């Protein structure tokens, strides 16, 4: 028997589904789970404008080659694209390349922002934080302003 001090504290995640709601990913991030990857398969210029904080950019036309050299085939992967069609296509590409735990992130970046998930990117850093929507740059600015008062 392995003595694991964290057993029973961090809930065991159910197996990854073919499609996932953004709340599932946000919950895993909030628990600090390191054993998954978020992939953004949109063009690099679109990714640079705004993306889910922590997502890796792997444009769909480079996906197979880049994923093969940088990701383990048994790793949990959440993937999103410009729309649900591109997301489904990218997920199929990864599954065909032998990746076992690939989940399409339903609603992509829009759904992520709707639940107040952290974002990064050029445009996102200029977006004023709201009650239900935030980005890391705005949160840091707000923190600094609060500390100076």
């Amino acid at each position: 028997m392995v003595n694991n001090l964290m057993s029973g504290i961090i809930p065991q995640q159910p197996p990854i589904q073919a499609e996932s709601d953004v709340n599932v990913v946000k919950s895993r991030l909030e628990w600090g789970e390191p054993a998954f990857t978020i992939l953004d398969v949109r063009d690099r210029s679109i990714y640079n404008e705004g993306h889910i904080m922590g997502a890796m950019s792997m444009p769909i036309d480079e996906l197979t080659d880049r994923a093969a050299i940088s990701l383990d085939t048994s790793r949990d992967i959440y993937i999103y694209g410009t729309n649900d069609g591109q997301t489904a296509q990218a997920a199929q590409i990864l599954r065909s390349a032998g990746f076992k735990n690939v989940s399409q992130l339903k609603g992509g970046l829009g759904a992520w922002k709707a639940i107040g998930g952290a974002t990064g990117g050029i445009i996102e850093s200029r977006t004023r934080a709201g009650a239900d929507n935030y980005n890391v740059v705005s949160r840091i600015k707000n923190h600094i302003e609060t500390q100076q008062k």
Side-chain angles (χ1 to χ4, degrees):
M1 182 167 123
V2 177
N3 184 8
N4 184 350
L5 296 175
M6 300 307 275
S7 67
I9 296 173
I10 298 176
Q12 185 69 27
Q13 288 296 321
I16 193 168
Q17 301 297 308
E19 290 186 352
S20 294
D21 184 84
V22 290
N23 289 297
V24 170
V25 177
K26 190 173 184 209
S27 175
R28 288 187 75 179
L29 282 170
E30 288 170 350
W31 274 99
E33 290 186 45
F36 69 93
T37 299
I38 303 169
L39 293 182
D40 184 324
V41 298
R42 301 172 303 155
D43 290 334
R44 174 67 99 174
S45 61
I46 297 170
Y47 169 88
N48 289 340
E49 290 176 2
H51 55 269
I52 294 174
M53 184 62 70
M56 294 174 60
S57 175
M58 285 195 190
I60 197 163
D61 57 338
E62 304 170 11
L63 185 57
T64 305
D65 295 334
R66 292 198 47 212
I69 60 173
S70 50
L71 299 171
D72 186 276
T73 57
S74 63
R75 187 163 185 84
D76 285 359
I77 299 170
Y78 295 95
I79 194 164
Y80 71 97
T82 304
N83 54 47
D84 289 339
Q86 185 185 49
T87 301
Q89 179 187 4
Q92 186 55 46
I93 289 170
L94 285 181
R95 290 181 187 118
S96 295
F99 289 87
K100 299 171 188 73
N101 303 318
V102 179
S103 183
Q104 298 166 222
L105 197 55
K106 294 187 290 188
L109 181 60
W112 182 255
K113 288 167 57 174
I115 65 164
T119 58
I122 298 165
I123 293 175
E124 291 299 315
S125 68
R126 296 179 187 149
T127 304
R128 185 114 179 105
D132 295 335
N133 188 14
Y134 67 91
N135 62 58
V136 173
V137 174
S138 292
R139 290 184 64 158
I140 292 170
K141 285 179 184 176
N142 290 340
H143 175 73
I144 291 170
E145 289 170 4
T146 303
Q147 295 301 312
Q148 292 174 345
K149 292 181 181 177

